[in-house]
Amino acid sequence: MRVLGLETSCDETGVALFDSERGLLSDALFSQIDLHRVYGGVVPELASRDHVKRMLPLINQVLAEAGSKPADVDAIAYTAGPGLVGALLVGASFAQALSLAWGVPALGVHHMEGHLLAPMLEEQPPEFPFVALLVSGGHTQLVRVDGIGRYQLLGESVDDAAGEAFDKTAKLLGLGYPGGPEIARLALNGNPDRFVFPRPMTDRPGLDFSFSGLKTFALNTWQQCEAAGDNSEQTRCDIALAFQRAVVETLTIKCKRALKQTGLKSLVIAGGVSANTALRTSLETMLKELRGHVFYARPRFCTDNGAMIAYAGCQRLLAGQQDGPAIQVQARWPMEQLPAV
C-alpha cells in the first residue's frame, strides 16, 4: 500500500509518500519558523494561511521525487489532531478533497501516535512492548506501548510541557524562537558549577512532571543577576545550562522509574525535544546501566513531519480503518482513545 501523509498540526507543513513494502519513498517539509520568529511564537491564523500556500507544491514535489503520480497513491493519511484547529482543518480539507478526486480512502491520524511511531522508520526499529517518552512543545508524557493503539498513560506534565518550558525560558532570557535549540546552543558554553536548579517532582513517587516552577526559577535567577548588574552572555549560558540539565535529569529520573515500574528494558523517545543531544546522551547512559536500549528517530523526523503521519496511517489503513468524507479534527484528543490494531 502506498500512502500519502499530510502533517499540518502547527507551524510545519509536512508531506511524505510511504510504501508498505519499500518504505519511505520521499518526504518534504516547509518550516514556518522565520514567519513566526518575529512574534516570539506561533500565530495560529498565519500558520493556517501558510499551510494553504505550501501544501499543493509540496505534494507535487513529493510525488515527483518518488517518481509517482496520483494514480499510484492508494490512500491518504492526515493529522486530525491534536493541534491548532485552523491548521488541522487545512490538512484535513486537502486530504478529503484528494480522497474524493483520486477515489482513494482517507484516514485521520493522531499527531502524537505519529511521533511515537517515528522510530519505526529507522533501520533498527524498536519491538513491542516498550516505554515511550513523548516530549515536545505541547506534550510531555510517559506511555506504556504494547502495540499500535495499545497505550497506557503512565504519567504526564501537570502544567507546562518540557518543550514549552524551553521556549518560555529562552524568551525570558531574550533569546530567539524556537527556544529549545537556542537553550541547547548556549548551554554548550555554560559553567556547570555556577547554578543548580531544582529537579521538580523527583522527590516524590509517581511519574507525572511539572516544569512551570522550573521556568519561574530560571526567571528569578536571571532577574537577580540583572539586579546585580550582570546580564552578560556568559550568565545566559550558565542559566541555559542549569535549566537544560534540570530538565534532562528530571526526564531521565522519571524514565528510569517508568522502566523499573513496568519491568521493560526498551525506551522510545519521540517529539521535538527528543532531538536534544544532552537528553539522548543522558538516556543512553541510563539504559546502559539497566542493560536496556533506547530508540529514537533521526533528527529530521523528531520534529513534525509527514513521514510519521504516512507511516502511522499506513499501519491503520492496512488494518482496514478509514474515515468517511466528513472533515473532522480535534484540538484535544487523548491517545488512549485510539482503537487497537
Side-chain angles (χ1 to χ4, degrees), residues 4-337:
L4 183 70
L6 309 180
E7 157 61 22
T8 62
S9 65
C10 190
D11 61 338
E12 288 166 320
T13 312
V15 179
L17 190 63
F18 180 83
D19 189 289
S20 57
E21 295 182 359
R22 297 173 54 195
L24 184 64
L25 302 181
S26 61
D27 72 284
L29 181 73
F30 184 86
S31 175
Q32 301 175 7
I33 287 178
D34 290 340
L35 175 65
H36 300 287
R37 180 176 284 124
V38 65
Y39 302 101
V42 177
V43 181
E45 178 61 26
L46 295 181
S48 301
R49 292 179 182 180
D50 204 64
H51 286 312
V52 174
K53 179 180 178 181
R54 308 294 176 181
M55 181 59 71
L56 192 55
L58 287 177
I59 291 174
N60 291 332
Q61 176 185 334
V62 163
L63 291 176
E65 290 178 353
S68 300
K69 51 187 182 297
D72 298 323
V73 177
D74 298 307
I76 301 167
Y78 63 94
T79 303
L84 302 175
V85 170
L88 292 169
L89 284 170
V90 175
S93 300
F94 265 95
Q96 293 292 2
L98 293 177
S99 171
L100 179 63
W102 295 351
V104 298
L107 178 68
V109 172
H110 194 288
H111 179 73
M112 295 311 294
E113 181 174 67
H115 275 304
L116 186 151
L117 297 177
M120 299 295 185
L121 294 165
E122 303 303 318
E123 292 184 3
Q124 294 183 326
E127 295 182 358
F128 301 115
F130 55 78
V131 171
L133 171 66
L134 303 178
V135 57
S136 65
H139 298 80
T140 301
Q141 297 178 326
L142 278 167
V143 182
R144 178 187 172 119
V145 181
D146 289 294
I148 297 177
R150 298 170 61 193
Y151 308 130
Q152 178 189 355
L153 180 64
L154 302 174
E156 62 184 340
S157 179
V158 299
D159 42 53
D160 290 353
E164 182 182 6
F166 267 105
D167 287 340
K168 289 180 177 178
T169 299
K171 189 172 183 178
L172 67 88
L173 289 175
L175 305 177
Y177 173 83
E182 290 295 304
I183 292 288
R185 178 181 62 84
L186 288 187
L188 293 173
N189 296 314
N191 177 1
D193 298 321
R194 186 173 179 189
F195 300 115
V196 177
F197 283 20
R199 276 57 173 160
M201 296 184 71
T202 58
D203 58 349
R204 66 189 74 174
L207 296 172
D208 285 335
F209 303 91
S210 173
F211 294 107
S212 180
L214 188 59
K215 173 194 65 185
T216 303
F217 194 94
L219 173 61
N220 292 337
T221 302
W222 174 243
Q223 289 177 338
Q224 290 170 7
C225 290
E226 282 192 310
D230 180 7
N231 61 354
S232 65
E233 182 72 4
Q234 184 59 51
T235 294
R236 283 188 174 88
C237 292
D238 297 342
I239 293 176
L241 176 59
F243 175 82
Q244 178 175 266
R245 292 180 71 181
V247 172
V248 166
E249 188 170 332
T250 298
L251 292 172
T252 302
I253 290 171
K254 292 301 181 82
C255 285
K256 184 176 183 179
R257 193 176 293 177
L259 290 166
K260 289 186 174 181
Q261 177 177 308
T262 59
L264 299 176
K265 296 291 187 180
S266 294
L267 175 71
V268 164
I269 56 171
V273 182
S274 69
N276 183 282
T277 302
L279 176 60
R280 291 189 176 195
T281 300
S282 178
L283 291 175
E284 287 170 356
T285 300
M286 182 266 290
L287 263 298
K288 285 182 180 179
E289 294 174 358
L290 297 181
R291 296 184 179 180
H293 301 280
V294 61
F295 300 87
Y296 41 76
R298 71 200 80 168
R300 68 190 180 104
F301 291 153
C302 290
T303 55
D304 296 349
N305 63 88
M308 68 182 192
I309 301 303
Y311 177 85
C314 184
Q315 308 314 305
R316 291 191 171 275
L317 286 157
L318 287 171
Q321 297 182 25
Q322 58 180 276
D323 292 338
I327 298 173
Q328 297 179 327
V329 299
Q330 300 184 59
R332 297 183 181 275
W333 188 6
M335 200 166 61
E336 309 91 84
Q337 294 180 356

